[in-house]
């Protein structure tokens, strides 16, 4: 279950999961939650009714309702979380080092001479958005830079939120911006164009996640790459271990 297969991050994650599953004789069923707890619960109920062997889940924000928790407990199948943690369900998770990626991104901006660095974050109810925010904050601190509240805007990992956040943030004229995912970076760049600004002339920019087509951007975008195929394949390998009864680390 992924938030949105139309988000260019997830196709390679799903492909990695499917490649690993097929090697072990398993097939993949795919559901989109749209980051909606209600849709996520419906997808889990559907998959449980199909008697799947296990579930890979990129968790939407929010907690499961008690009836679903009871249903999951009753069927006793393994879950593995992908990219986001939710320890109330399971501690089995395959995630990227979001904290370190954000920390390095902001340190890069600081090394390039940027002194007022802003953040367009993901939704802070989600574990990886929290970690990227922590990395941003700690990188500012270690570089003796201020964390200005007006330079931190929360988005939802979608283009439109990046566009709105871009307008809000750029009105305060930061000289560096770290954006917590690729789709919000596209939204930010739309706002930049609309406001008549230029990157890197008016501000430095670092984005989270890399894609082959970003090579055509001029100037080239600086990004923190995420190993999408590897995340999917390692999560599937862990899930298959759990299905097989291996409950070690």
């Amino acid at each position: 279950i992924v938030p949105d297969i139309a988000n260019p991050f997830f196709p390679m994650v799903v492909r990695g999961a499917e490649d690993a599953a097929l090697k072990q004789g398993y097939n993949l069923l795919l559901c989109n939650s749209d980051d909606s707890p209600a849709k996520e619960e419906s997808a889990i109920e559907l998959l449980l009714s199909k008697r799947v062997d296990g579930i890979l889940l990129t968790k939407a924000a929010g907690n499961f309702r008690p009836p679903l928790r009871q249903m999951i407990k009753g069927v006793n199948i393994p879950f593995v979380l992908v990219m986001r943690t939710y320890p109330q369900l399971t501690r089995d998770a395959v995630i990227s080092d979001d904290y370190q990626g954000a920390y390095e991104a902001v340190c890069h901006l600081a090394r390039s001479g940027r002194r007022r660095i802003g953040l367009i974050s993901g939704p802070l109810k989600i574990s990886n958005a929290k970690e990227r925010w922590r990395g941003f904050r700690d990188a500012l601190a270690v570089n003796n830079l201020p964390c200005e509240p007006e330079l931190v805007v929360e988005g939802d990992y979608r283009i439109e939120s990046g566009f709105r956040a871009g307008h809000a943030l750029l009105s305060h004229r930061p000289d560096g911006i770290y954006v917590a995912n690729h789709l919000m970076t596209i939204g930010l760049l739309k706002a930049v164009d609309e406001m008549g600004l230029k990157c890197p002339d008016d501000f430095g920019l670092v984005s989270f996640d890399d894609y082959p087509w970003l090579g055509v951007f001029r100037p080239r975008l600086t990004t923190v790459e995420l190993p999408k195929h590897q995340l999917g394949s390692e999560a599937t390998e862990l899930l298959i271990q759990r299905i097989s009864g291996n409950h070690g680390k």
Side-chain angles (χ1 to χ4, degrees), residues 106-115 175 204-205:
V106 176
C107 285
H108 171 78
L109 288 169
R111 285 193 299 270
S112 65
R114 311 296 177 173
R115 313 316 294 166
D175 62 4
L205 174 63

Side-chain angles (χ1 to χ4, degrees), residues 1-5 29-33 39 42-44 46-47:
I1 304 170
V2 299
D4 184 5
I5 197 64
L29 302 175
L30 178 64
C31 300
N32 293 277
S33 72
K39 283 192 72 173
S42 294
I44 292 172
L46 171 67
L47 294 176

Side-chain angles (χ1 to χ4, degrees), residues 7 12 35 41 64 76 79 108 121 137 145 148 155 165 182 209 216-217 233-234:
N7 179 334
M12 280 302 291
D35 264 329
E41 291 202 8
F64 290 151
N76 194 32
F79 281 73
H108 171 78
S121 82
R137 179 199 62 193
L145 299 177
E148 303 176 46
H182 171 69
D209 210 7
V216 304
F217 278 51
S233 63
E234 290 194 6

